[in-house]
Every structure is written in structure tokens, then in C-alpha cells.
Amino acid sequence: MTDGLFGYVHSFEPLGSFDGPGLRTVVFLSGCPMRCKYCHNPDMLGGGGGEKMSVSAVVEKALRYRAYNSGGVTLSGGEPLMQEEFVVGLLRELKKKRIHTALDTAGSVYCEEALSLASLVILDIKHTDEAAFKELCGFAPDNMLRTLEFLKKKRKKFWVRQVTVPGITDGEDNIKKLKQMAFGAEKIELLPYHTMGVYKWEKLGLSYPLEGVKEPSPETMNRLNALLNDR
């Protein structure tokens, strides 16, 4: 039952073309247990931030955009599974409406029911090395690894993503291991690190941990993608 089930929604993107197949409604949910050094949405980290909305209200709003984005609905964050009961309720209701759903998660919260309900899981693997993962995110990779194992075991449709941060995730060993870890994924994407969210850290009075780190060059991204796609 989803009656009376509420969660906190940071924002909606009605015409998302990046978070799953086709044009989609992207629902950004508040809260994240990780503290990634390059986080571009630090304003989402508080679990109770955003607008309090019911499952039915979120589904109703998503349906308004259906004529413009036949791709479906993506639940993102923050870490959407911080609100796992709310996410499960949303996925159930959207499934009843026969709407394609994508769950964009870093796997920091393990929830088999949500992973099973989603049409597609987009898993962000922050780093392939355990110690480097903890250093980058302030969080252990255990739940991410459990999530990845579950997706493979149940043969779920999933994509893998990783942000390419110069000096942190741009090493060839990391890329080779990422390719191995992502075996079975429909797609592996390398996302170039950017600094567009730095102003949010400043606005919140926080010190940005990766001050001075530059965005990777197109040449670097081309080289790493070639390595990733090398058979």
C-alpha cells in the first residue's frame, strides 16, 4: 500500500535526455549517505530537505509530462535509496501505469525490492579500488558490490557509470578493472568530471575538497573510452 507514503523531493527535470533511454522525467530525491569529494549537489545531502510529497503526487506530476517524454521516469538523487520505502512505492505505482522506470543509484543503500522493480538500474561505481573508494566517498563499497552482484545474479538490465576525475579515477588499471566489474552491463559510461557544482559548496559555506582539480581533456576521455572499448 502506498496510501499515506511520503518522501522528500528536491526537484523535477521534465525533459531529461541523459538519465536512461529516451526523453524522461527525472525525479531528484533528497538525501545521500556518501560524501563524495566531487559532489555537484551538496544541497541534496540532508535527508529531510526538499518538498514533502506523496507517492500519488509524484506519479501524477510525472504523468503530466508523459506526452513529451515517452522514455519513462528516472529516480535519481542524491541517493534515491536513502528513501527506500518511498522509492519502492513509486516504482510499484509507476509499474502499474506501465511506465518504464530507471533507478539511478550509487548502491550505497542495498534494497533488493527496488532493484527488482526498476526496469533499468544505472549504477554509479565511484572507484574500483576499496581504499580509494573510501577516500573519495567517505563510505565503504560493500553495498555497491552487493548491488552489482544482485543485478548480475538476477540478470537485471543495468548500466554502469563512473566519473573520470584527473588523478583519481583516470588510471588505466582502474578502467580495466571497471570493465571487468561491469561485465553483463548493457552500457558502460565514463562521465567527465566538472566543476559546475562548486558554487553550491561556496553558497553553503563549505570548502570544496577538490579545489584546483581540472576537468579531463577530450584527449584523455577519448583515450580512456578507447581502452574501455578495446576488445
Side-chain angles (χ1 to χ4, degrees):
M1 295 290 291
T2 59
D3 292 344
L5 187 57
F6 291 84
Y8 290 90
V9 178
H10 179 274
S11 56
F12 288 83
E13 183 179 350
L15 295 172
S17 58
F18 187 66
D19 300 291
L23 284 176
R24 313 178 64 81
T25 298
V26 185
V27 185
F28 294 97
L29 301 177
S30 299
C32 184
M34 290 184 170
R35 293 299 181 263
C36 298
K37 291 183 177 180
Y38 57 74
C39 179
H40 61 275
N41 286 318
D43 50 323
M44 286 190 186
L45 296 180
E51 181 182 357
K52 186 177 180 180
M53 298 183 69
S54 66
V55 166
S56 58
V58 174
V59 172
E60 181 183 351
K61 190 163 185 174
L63 289 175
R64 294 180 203 163
Y65 303 122
R66 198 172 188 181
Y68 308 100
N69 49 16
S70 57
V73 174
T74 297
L75 304 181
S76 187
E79 170 55 72
L81 290 177
M82 273 280 285
Q83 302 185 63
E84 56 183 293
E85 187 178 1
F86 186 58
V87 166
V88 167
L90 286 171
L91 291 172
R92 282 177 178 166
E93 292 304 309
L94 290 166
K95 187 173 184 178
K96 289 178 184 178
K97 304 289 184 182
R98 298 184 179 181
I99 295 175
H100 182 279
T101 54
L103 178 62
D104 186 357
T105 176
S108 55
V109 177
Y110 182 68
C111 180
E112 290 186 2
E113 189 170 8
L115 298 173
S116 298
L117 285 167
S119 309
L120 169 71
V121 176
I122 303 172
L123 181 63
D124 183 359
I125 297 179
K126 304 294 183 178
H127 205 295
T128 59
D129 177 80
E130 181 177 358
F133 189 108
K134 289 181 180 179
E135 173 64 23
L136 180 62
C137 306
F139 204 84
D142 304 53
N143 282 339
M144 181 276 292
L145 293 172
R146 290 180 69 196
T147 296
L148 184 60
E149 181 181 6
F150 179 85
L151 295 173
K152 292 181 178 183
K153 181 179 179 181
K154 298 298 182 180
R155 297 185 178 181
K156 288 288 300 181
K157 289 186 178 181
F158 72 102
W159 296 359
V160 163
R161 287 178 168 175
Q162 187 176 87
V163 177
T164 298
V165 186
I168 298 178
T169 57
D170 61 345
E172 291 192 0
D173 287 345
N174 171 66
I175 298 301
K176 290 177 181 178
K177 189 172 179 182
L178 180 67
K179 185 176 180 178
Q180 294 174 345
M181 291 178 67
F183 181 78
E186 288 189 339
K187 183 187 294 189
I188 309 174
E189 295 180 320
L190 298 180
L191 311 179
Y193 164 78
H194 62 75
T195 57
M196 291 185 287
V198 174
Y199 78 95
K200 297 181 182 178
W201 288 75
E202 295 171 347
K203 189 176 181 179
L204 292 169
L206 301 173
S207 176
Y208 186 63
L210 298 185
E211 183 70 35
V213 176
K214 304 297 183 183
E215 298 178 3
S217 67
E219 292 76 17
T220 294
M221 296 306 300
N222 288 338
R223 175 176 59 83
L224 296 179
N225 276 301
L227 181 63
L228 191 65
N229 294 313
D230 182 18
R231 295 182 182 276

